[in-house]
């Protein structure tokens, strides 16, 4: 188990990289810090690793308080019982795969017998399915294999916590997808407590048990991947986690079916899911994922949440087609299966699935980014 409380880190020069964050990673859990470049993810990870000294806060690994500003405790990195994997594989080019993985054991203060060392290295290599390549010089490996060597080296001590900083970002797209699955299977199998850092939302959603979305040194929202994607609490999270339609609106009737209400929006009145406590007259924002909108031609039987528009752009993506549809002055993003295709300029109807129209309170940080659906 890993617990981080009230962590603050300001670098020389006054950059407030981490501004008081709290989180807990349960035994065997895969927890991800996700956020844009510069939001403080790596700094947090480095504080946990003992590579940066926080200004304030507490960090515990298992029952050990490895850092406490109040208690004036700071356990050195090598005693924290952690394994680390970085974006750059940081493997030694002049050594074989075996020797790269053996390196930490050979240079450890704890003496390890030759046969024990061999057993442990081969066990770590078999975990990442590289035992057959133990004698190969490390440079003669693919990028994915080199990253697996780095992983085996991090696992050699059977650490209590595995720290991973964008470990897949140097791999090409296909390999990254494959390694994602392998990594997930491996950490599940080993039931190892993992703290992962990435700016790639797809990676975070695919790998994690829970995700913390960070911005400007704070955690904005924490939850299971489904919650983060389907119930973003503000526009920052909605925008950052995938594409979205974002409209301004005003609640005109909060008394529809349970949890649902009628909201005036620039594309018409829509039945939406309301947050607790929303009232008639509230100014709100509506988040609708592109796959929450159906596109079709002709007149629907039911006109609820249906608006008309014109296709202005269609992008074929193999398994789906992404449309940009103009509705009045607004651009709606729609993701549809690739079976039908609606040509440019075609008049179409859009159905906004009420359960997928999520109302969030309006905040001063609300932003509508240009690559998202919204005002043209
Ligand atoms: P990225 O995804 O680009 O790695 P990040 O979310 O991991 O970003 P950090 O590397 O933690 O962000 O950086 C947080 C802030 O602290 C940034 O503004 C960065 O410029 C600053 N920073 C990081 N390291 C240092 C340092 N050694 N000295 C001064 N400022 C630093």
């Amino acid at each position: 188990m890993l617990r981080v409380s009230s962590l603050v880190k300001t670098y020389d020069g006054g950059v407030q990289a981490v501004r008081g964050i709290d989180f807990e990673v349960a035994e065997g859990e895969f927890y991800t810090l996700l956020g844009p470049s510069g939001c403080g993810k790596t700094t947090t990870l480095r504080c946990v690793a003992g590579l940066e000294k926080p200004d304030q806060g507490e960090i515990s690994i298992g029952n050990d308080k490895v850092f406490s500003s109040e208690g004036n405790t700071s356990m050195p990195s090598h005693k924290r019982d952690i394994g680390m994997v970085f974006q750059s594989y940081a493997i030694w080019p002049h050594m074989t795969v075996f020797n790269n993985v053996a390196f930490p054991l050979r240079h450890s203060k704890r003496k390890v017998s030759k046969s024990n060392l061999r057993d442990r290295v081969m066990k770590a290599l078999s975990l990442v399915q590289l035992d057959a390549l133990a004698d190969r010089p490390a440079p003669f490996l693919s990028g994915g294999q080199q990253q697996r060597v780095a992983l085996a080296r991090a696992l050699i001590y059977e650490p209590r916590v595995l720290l991973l900083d964008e470990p897949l970002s140097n791999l090409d797209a296909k390999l990254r997808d494959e390694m994602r699955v392998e990594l997930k299977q491996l950490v599940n199998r080993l039931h190892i407590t993992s703290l992962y850092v990435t700016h790639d939302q797809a990676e975070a959603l695919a790998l994690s048990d829970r995700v913390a979305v960070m911005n400007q040194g704070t955690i904005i929202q924490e939850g299971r991947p489904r919650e983060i994607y389907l119930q973003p609490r503000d526009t920052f999270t909605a925008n950052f986690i995938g594409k979205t339609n974002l409209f301004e609106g005003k609640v005109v009737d909060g008394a529809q079916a349970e949890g649902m209400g009628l909201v005036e929006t620039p594309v018409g009145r829509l039945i939406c899911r309301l947050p607790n406590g929303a009232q008639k007259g509230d100014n709100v924002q509506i988040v609708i994922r592109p796959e929450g909108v159906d596109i079709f031609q002709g007149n629907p039987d039911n006109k609820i949440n249906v608006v008309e528009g014109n296709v202005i752009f269609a992008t074929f993506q193999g398994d789906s087609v992404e449309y940009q549809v103009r509705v009045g002055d607004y651009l709606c993003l729609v993701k549809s299966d690739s079976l039908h295709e609606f040509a440019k300029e075609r008049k179409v109807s859009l159905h906004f699935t009420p359960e997928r129209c999520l109302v969030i309170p309006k905040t001063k940080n609300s932003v509508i980014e240009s690559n998202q659906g919204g005002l043209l």
Side-chain angles (χ1 to χ4, degrees), residues 183-196:
L183 186 60
K184 174 130 185 136
Q185 287 171 341
L186 180 68
V187 291
N188 279 351
R189 211 165 60 232
L190 297 179
H191 197 65
I192 187 163
T193 309
S194 307
L195 179 63
Y196 194 88

Side-chain angles (χ1 to χ4, degrees), residues 287-320:
V287 169
I288 313 164
R289 297 288 183 197
E291 65 274 20
V293 189
D294 297 321
I295 182 169
F296 57 95
Q297 275 193 295
N299 281 325
D301 305 335
N302 185 348
K303 298 245 185 218
I304 291 174
N305 281 25
V306 173
V307 301
E308 287 188 342
N310 289 82
V311 173
I312 59 170
F313 206 71
T315 315
F316 182 70
Q317 297 180 328
D319 59 348
S320 61

Side-chain angles (χ1 to χ4, degrees), residues 50-66:
L51 301 173
E52 294 291 350
K53 189 161 184 254
D55 305 319
Q56 271 177 48
E58 239 179 60
I59 302 170
S60 303
I61 297 177
N63 292 325
D64 297 329
K65 210 168 269 183
V66 298

Side-chain angles (χ1 to χ4, degrees), residues 3 5 57-76 80 160:
R3 185 184 297 126
S5 321
E58 239 179 60
I59 302 170
S60 303
I61 297 177
N63 292 325
D64 297 329
K65 210 168 269 183
V66 298
F67 178 83
S68 165
S69 52
E70 261 188 17
N72 215 4
T73 317
S74 186
M75 189 185 275
R80 292 192 182 191
R160 283 188 294 182

